[in-house]
Amino acid sequence: MFKINSVSFAIGDKTLLQPLDLTIASGRVTGLLGHNGSGKSTLLKLLARQIAPSSGEILLDGVPSNKLSARDFARKVAYLPQQSPDTDELTVRELVSLGRYPWHGALGRFTDKDRAHVDRALKRTELERFENRIVTTLSGGERQRAMIAMLVAQDSGCLLLDEPISALDISNQIEVMELVRDCAVEHGMTVVVVLHDVNVAARYCDDIVALSGGRLIAQETAQSLMTESRLEAIYGVPMGVLAHPKTGAPISYVA
């Protein structure tokens, strides 16, 4: 879905992302991993057109992404930043309905088709019983699901999520990541998600893009990344890997 050709990003004389080349496959969950300041959020913002690359080109389905109109781009790509938008006392249904904006515009009529997409997004995220609740009265996990429901209603085919579980407890992290995984597996969406926990990434992602100091150091399947040497290269500390006692899946730990 995305092809990144020699893309870099700098502010003044400080380079935040060194030139990199990579491909992000359609219909898969790709996790962006790395220590703080590694360039994960910068890369995601470049994909989301929140910032423009200092050099290089980003192709979206074979077309330079900067050549698409804002509306056409939003119909293909939905983005959730680290700081969620102000819900301003919206109900859950009103928030999710905002996802339809790229399809009807500020003055366009909200159609039966738009309502059907909102209904489907509420059902897919299991928020139907909360649709009339004010978003700010929801728990952290419920609120994050509502934000993702807004993106699902956008019907863009690609979700870009910047640390969607960083402020959640373990049970809510699992709930949100199960939803993210379902978007790809059950509904064919492409997902790119910034994560800090490598074990969460290994469990829910198909592919991993790992960055360190603004440089690409790995792009491979989640399972093949789970080796002591690869993890130490990403995080800069000795890492160990053992098998999950029930599933046999690899689990990492600080050695």
Side-chain angles (χ1 to χ4, degrees):
M1 187 158 191
F2 284 104
K3 186 169 178 58
I4 299 170
N5 298 322
S6 301
V7 165
S8 69
F9 182 75
I11 298 177
D13 59 357
K14 184 176 182 180
T15 300
L16 302 182
L17 197 67
Q18 301 289 339
L20 60 85
D21 298 276
L22 62 89
T23 299
I24 294 175
S26 179
R28 294 170 69 83
V29 180
T30 297
L32 303 185
L33 286 181
H35 55 75
N36 290 339
S38 62
K40 305 184 299 298
S41 292
T42 298
L43 176 55
L44 199 74
K45 288 176 182 177
L46 287 165
L47 295 178
R49 290 204 333 187
Q50 299 298 300
I51 54 177
S54 300
S55 67
E57 182 179 54
I58 299 175
L59 302 178
L60 175 60
D61 291 333
V63 178
S65 66
N66 63 350
K67 300 299 184 182
L68 296 169
S69 69
R71 176 173 287 188
D72 286 343
F73 183 80
R75 289 178 173 181
K76 289 177 175 289
V77 178
Y79 170 63
L80 185 64
Q82 287 185 36
Q83 299 297 323
S84 298
D86 186 357
T87 57
D88 195 26
E89 295 303 304
L90 296 174
T91 66
V92 170
R93 174 170 281 275
E94 288 169 339
L95 173 66
V96 176
S97 296
L98 292 179
R100 298 304 299 162
Y101 179 83
W103 299 94
H104 61 71
L107 302 178
R109 187 169 65 88
F110 201 81
T111 66
D112 289 340
K113 182 178 180 180
D114 292 316
R115 275 184 283 275
H117 277 287
V118 172
D119 290 341
R120 193 175 302 120
L122 289 168
K123 182 177 181 180
R124 189 179 297 178
T125 54
E126 299 182 356
L127 287 170
E128 292 168 298
R129 67 186 187 279
F130 298 122
E131 65 175 310
N132 295 317
R133 284 268 300 274
I134 300 298
V135 175
T136 52
T137 69
L138 301 177
S139 70
E142 292 162 352
R143 193 177 303 123
Q144 199 69 328
R145 279 164 51 203
M147 293 295 176
I148 294 174
M150 177 180 63
L151 305 191
V152 171
Q154 191 170 324
D155 193 32
S156 62
C158 178
L159 305 183
L160 305 179
L161 309 173
D162 198 349
E163 299 187 30
I165 62 172
S166 61
L168 303 180
D169 60 32
I170 292 176
S171 63
N172 282 319
Q173 287 183 18
I174 293 172
E175 185 178 90
V176 169
M177 289 307 299
E178 291 283 0
L179 171 60
V180 167
R181 182 73 188 161
D182 179 70
C183 286
V185 174
E186 300 296 330
H187 305 286
M189 303 181 81
T190 302
V191 180
V192 184
V193 54
V194 174
L195 296 167
H196 280 291
D197 191 324
V198 66
N199 290 318
V200 171
R203 179 171 178 174
Y204 292 104
C205 297
D206 299 300
D207 306 308
I208 299 292
V209 171
L211 302 169
S212 180
R215 298 180 185 276
L216 177 67
I217 59 174
Q219 182 185 17
E220 52 196 284
T221 65
Q223 293 302 305
S224 64
L225 185 84
M226 295 292 284
T227 67
E228 295 177 358
S229 60
R230 302 298 272 161
L231 294 174
E232 183 172 351
I234 295 171
Y235 293 106
V237 295
M239 301 287 287
V241 177
L242 52 78
H244 189 285
K246 290 186 177 180
T247 67
I251 301 172
S252 70
Y253 61 92
V254 178

